[in-house]
Amino acid sequence: MLFKLTDVTKSYGGHDVLRDVSFQINPGEKVGLVGRNGAGKTTVFRMITGGENPDSGTVEKINRLRIGMLDQHVDFSESESVHTAALSAFRELHDIEAEMRRLELRMVEDHSEQILEDYAALQTRFEREGGFDYVARAEAVLLGLKFDKSLWDMNTKELSGGQMNRLGMVRLLLADVDLLLLDEPTNHLDVETVEWLENHLSATDLSYVVISHDRYFLDRTCERIIEIDGGVAASYKGNYSKYLVESALRKEQLKREFENQRAFIQKTEAFIRKNLAGQKTKQAKSRRNMLERLERKTDLGGDAPTAGFALGDIIRAGANVLKVEDLEIGYPGTTLAKGLNFTIHRGESLGVIGANGTGKSTLLKTVLGEIRELSGSIVWGTKVLTGYYSQQLENLNDSNDLISELRSVRPSAENGELRSFLAGFLFFGDDVFKKVRDLSGGEKGRMALAKLVYSNVNVLILDEPTNHLDIPSREALERALEDFKGTIISVSHDRFFLDRIANRILAFGADGTVTDYNGNYSQFHEWMESRGLLDGSQIKGTDLSEEQVEIQSSGRESSKSKNEIRKLKERAETLEQRIQENEAGLKVLAGLISDPMVAGDSERLEEATSDYAKLEHELAQYYSEWEEVLGELPED
């Protein structure tokens, strides 16, 4: 055991954040701690580090437990360089090395056996604790977290806030500790750096507990998930994807147990009322005593409210939504990317990825006309109505209250309609009269999305839309965007989001090139890996003139023979038939799962749930292949 929480309860202002939370973390475990914003995850971390005490219950730790946790404000010494700051994680090895140098100088004049023995002991310890490779380890982590050699001599006081945080992460990953506590470690990291961090954590023998909204990251780094829901903790073996399945089954079981117990209580109470003063008074009293001693099941009350991103009807845009030719983007004197040629068609969802500073957000602002293109052309299609979500939330007016901010989209809307719509985004009661300036980051994110959705545009341009959302709200946004009938262009580092939403990827390389790929993020990543185009944490660009990976769809000429086209059409028809069959099968299984007779039979329920998951997985594969086949077919 490293640490253990037993029956821990914690309240703030009369509100129970944690209620009888119990779990244990053992050496070597790699754990994800999940739950809604405000569920108590960070409170758990503060209790482990001693920053908070429980109202009741105990927090036990092994003696001299060494804990590493990234501070909110990272500080370094006045004259420290980036390189020496990284090496400062090895202070004990520094001290050993300094003592060895001191003894080496003494040995020039003093050849006593004692000095030789002292030196040999230090040398053995130095080697055992990694003294001969610690510099190489530090430099590997520096490079992995995007500190190239040109930055190593820079004074830490010259670093930006983001660089300071990354250097703090470098020092943390190199620290000699027993346990890492990582609170949103992927915040402000680009996708390539996150992937490096995933590989580093997966390879380490260190124990860690990580809080993260990055579901892909949790999938790749965690072997156990602890969920805090309603103040109670539940543990699940496996990564995040496995937890989703197991959690849903557990909650369904708990819901059934609660409902069964409630029915039993109601029936027993009716018996007591009827017989307390009659012939069966003794039995009635006995049952009343039994009810008083009965441990009541928790009412899950259904899922907690989640933002209701319901997208309404939209005006149908033309077939070609956006055409870009020979586009060069950046700022006067600074080119970020050039030679961009692509057409976005109605109904497509384009995911834009790449390292920080490669031009992703600049592309969005350029096509919107907020920044002038350096060269090339940008042509929007007919009947296009764009809505822009900025990661800086620039489209919000801080001085407005929420109801006025939403009314700015539709001035004639009634108060009741506005309040109802805001409730779908978790703004209830007097919340609608809060000033925008007084909202938290997550609330501002929800408000900006509410405003965008309410406008009923047919092209959504989203810059990191999931940044301020917890996992349930991200999932709600994804469900809504999957149903959106318009076109989506989204810059995102959330790979789970890209896998669900994007059917096309535009990847900005570190060398200024841009790759256009037909598929979601996982498919793109696989394609890049198979071609050796992923170099460490960098995406290398690929010359699209040599290997064409752009979508073969509306308005594109096809070089395929009539026989190839016929086979593609036949395959599309076969896939459409299978999709229909699977959807019908899922409907039947959904009815079975909700049948009380099946729900009460754990064996039948487990079988039906397993069949549903398999069918759903097959359906996703059919849809993916169907989209790919349609993409290869020329326009009729």
Side-chain angles (χ1 to χ4, degrees), residues 10 38 46 237 405 566 596:
K10 185 68 179 179
R46 287 199 294 263
K237 190 175 181 180
E405 184 68 8
R566 179 182 57 78

Side-chain angles (χ1 to χ4, degrees), residues 580-591:
Q580 289 175 6
E581 291 169 358
N582 274 38
E583 287 179 337
L586 286 172
K587 192 173 181 180
V588 171
L589 285 169

Side-chain angles (χ1 to χ4, degrees), residues 37-243:
N37 287 343
K41 305 183 296 294
T42 303
T43 300
V44 168
F45 272 18
R46 287 199 294 263
M47 287 184 181
I48 297 166
T49 58
E52 292 267 5
N53 293 314
D55 296 335
S56 63
T58 59
V59 179
E60 300 174 65
K61 295 179 281 190
I62 60 168
N63 289 334
R64 298 180 181 177
L65 177 66
R66 296 169 300 171
I67 298 174
M69 185 172 176
L70 188 62
D71 295 326
Q72 294 293 320
H73 303 287
V74 184
D75 289 317
F76 300 96
S77 300
E78 271 300 324
S79 58
E80 208 166 19
S81 70
V82 167
H83 194 264
T84 56
L87 294 178
S88 68
F90 302 100
R91 283 198 175 90
E92 194 170 336
L93 282 171
H94 274 288
D95 293 343
I96 295 172
E97 195 170 23
E99 181 63 14
M100 287 171 65
R101 298 292 86 81
R102 190 182 68 80
L103 288 177
E104 285 169 2
L105 291 174
R106 283 187 61 191
M107 282 190 290
V108 173
E109 298 178 355
D110 186 347
H111 304 292
S112 68
E113 190 171 322
Q114 185 60 51
I115 288 182
L116 292 174
E117 286 178 1
D118 289 347
Y119 185 83
L122 282 172
Q123 191 174 44
T124 300
R125 184 181 167 195
F126 187 70
E127 183 176 2
R128 185 178 64 245
E129 295 181 13
F132 292 111
D133 67 356
Y134 77 90
V135 174
R137 280 189 285 144
E139 291 178 350
V141 175
L142 279 170
L143 292 170
L145 287 172
K146 294 290 181 72
F147 287 99
D148 60 50
K149 292 183 179 180
S150 65
L151 298 174
W152 289 1
D153 292 328
M154 181 185 288
N155 191 296
T156 56
K157 298 301 177 186
E158 299 173 32
L159 297 177
S160 67
Q163 288 174 321
M164 290 279 276
N165 285 331
R166 279 192 284 118
L167 188 55
M169 178 68 76
V170 169
R171 195 165 60 179
L172 178 65
L173 294 177
L174 294 169
D176 184 18
V177 296
D178 304 306
L179 173 71
L180 287 176
L181 299 179
L182 304 172
D183 193 348
E184 297 293 354
T186 64
N187 275 3
H188 312 299
L189 299 183
D190 58 42
V191 171
E192 294 75 34
T193 311
V194 171
E195 287 178 349
W196 178 89
L197 182 59
E198 287 168 350
N199 293 331
H200 180 86
L201 290 175
S202 297
T204 187
D205 294 328
L206 267 179
S207 304
Y208 55 78
V209 182
V210 57
I211 296 171
S212 181
H213 288 151
D214 188 331
R215 295 155 291 176
Y216 210 103
F217 181 80
L218 291 170
D219 249 0
R220 294 194 64 192
T221 60
C222 297
E223 297 165 357
R224 178 183 168 201
I225 300 292
I226 295 173
E227 178 191 38
I228 299 180
D229 184 22
V232 179
S235 180
Y236 300 88
K237 190 175 181 180
N239 66 4
Y240 183 80
S241 291
K242 190 170 182 183
Y243 144 76

Side-chain angles (χ1 to χ4, degrees), residues 59 66 135 325 329 402 446 470 479 512 547:
V59 179
R66 296 169 300 171
V135 174
E325 290 186 329
I329 62 171
L402 305 196
R446 281 192 274 122
D470 60 13
R479 287 192 295 270
E547 181 167 6

